[in-house]
Amino acid sequence: MSDSARTGDPKIALRFATPADTGLILEFIHKLAQYEKLAHEVVATEELLGDALFGKRPVAEAVLAHHADTPAGFALFFSNFSSYLGRPGIHIEDLFVEPGLRGKGVAKRLVRFIARLAVERGCGRLEWGVLDWDDPAARLYRDFGAEALSEWSVFRLSGPALERLAADPRE
């Protein structure tokens, strides 16, 4: 599904990523990680990413944005489920727009595109995270009508800690 027909700015075009886009997506992931000061955490490869997005059992999807035929950014997202709502949802894992193209509506278009997907797919919610210090992103998200869930904390188990827990013989 291309989003260019639904927009006011014909310079911005959105489309679902294809396997040929895997290298570009990984490049955007590296740029996002650099912006977030987390470049040291990126271990993804084109092979891992390609399998996750386009393999036998895809676990995520990506949408690419182009501005005047130039790659402008991307959003990577996956399905989740709300037991409280009894409905699926979508979680946006990554959202990135090239610095020189920020403020041109690209991020808004990406989020709006995914919001439409959520509605079309019968989802009950659309969620994503933002770093505490990323005020420009938080302002943009509040402008959408999104609310910060300050009463929730995100917990993560990865690397050696994940391996230790998985190997623990106790139930």
Side-chain angles (χ1 to χ4, degrees), residues 29 31 47 157 165:
I29 289 170
K31 290 178 178 182
E47 182 179 355
L157 192 58
L165 183 61

Side-chain angles (χ1 to χ4, degrees), residues 3 16 18-19 21 26-27 36-37 44 49-50 57-59 68 86 95-97 108 129 132-133 162 170:
D3 191 52
F16 282 102
T18 67
D21 298 314
L26 185 58
E27 183 182 326
E36 292 181 337
K37 302 173 182 79
L49 192 57
R57 188 172 173 244
V59 295
L95 178 67
F96 175 79
V97 175
K108 288 179 184 178
D132 291 341
W133 56 263
L162 175 61
R170 298 173 289 177

Side-chain angles (χ1 to χ4, degrees), residues 2-147:
S2 174
D3 191 52
S4 58
R6 294 180 169 180
T7 70
D9 185 349
K11 291 182 183 176
I12 301 173
L14 305 181
R15 65 172 175 81
F16 282 102
T18 67
D21 298 314
T22 305
L24 176 61
I25 295 167
L26 185 58
E27 183 182 326
F28 282 144
I29 289 170
H30 280 283
K31 290 178 178 182
L32 174 62
Q34 185 175 13
Y35 171 78
E36 292 181 337
K37 302 173 182 79
L38 298 170
H40 61 282
E41 291 190 15
V42 178
V43 296
T45 63
E46 281 192 46
E47 182 179 355
L48 287 171
L49 192 57
D51 188 49
L53 294 172
F54 310 109
K56 290 180 184 175
R57 188 172 173 244
V59 295
E61 299 174 75
V63 175
L64 293 174
H66 285 75
H67 186 273
D69 297 323
T70 300
F74 84 118
L76 190 141
F77 58 96
F78 56 86
S79 296
N80 58 19
F81 183 78
S82 168
S83 58
Y84 287 11
L85 298 176
R87 296 169 65 188
I90 291 179
H91 178 86
I92 301 173
E93 179 67 15
D94 293 328
L95 178 67
F96 175 79
V97 175
E98 290 283 4
L101 295 172
R102 292 180 187 156
K104 297 187 180 301
V106 177
K108 288 179 184 178
R109 291 280 302 285
L110 284 163
V111 175
R112 188 177 298 122
F113 184 93
I114 297 170
R116 287 179 180 141
L117 281 178
V119 170
E120 290 170 9
R121 294 176 180 182
C123 295
R125 63 173 94 165
L126 176 60
E127 297 178 315
W128 61 92
V130 62
L131 291 167
D132 291 341
W133 56 263
D134 196 349
D135 293 329
R139 277 193 304 274
L140 174 68
Y141 303 149
R142 284 188 186 97
D143 286 348
F144 293 150
E147 53 187 301

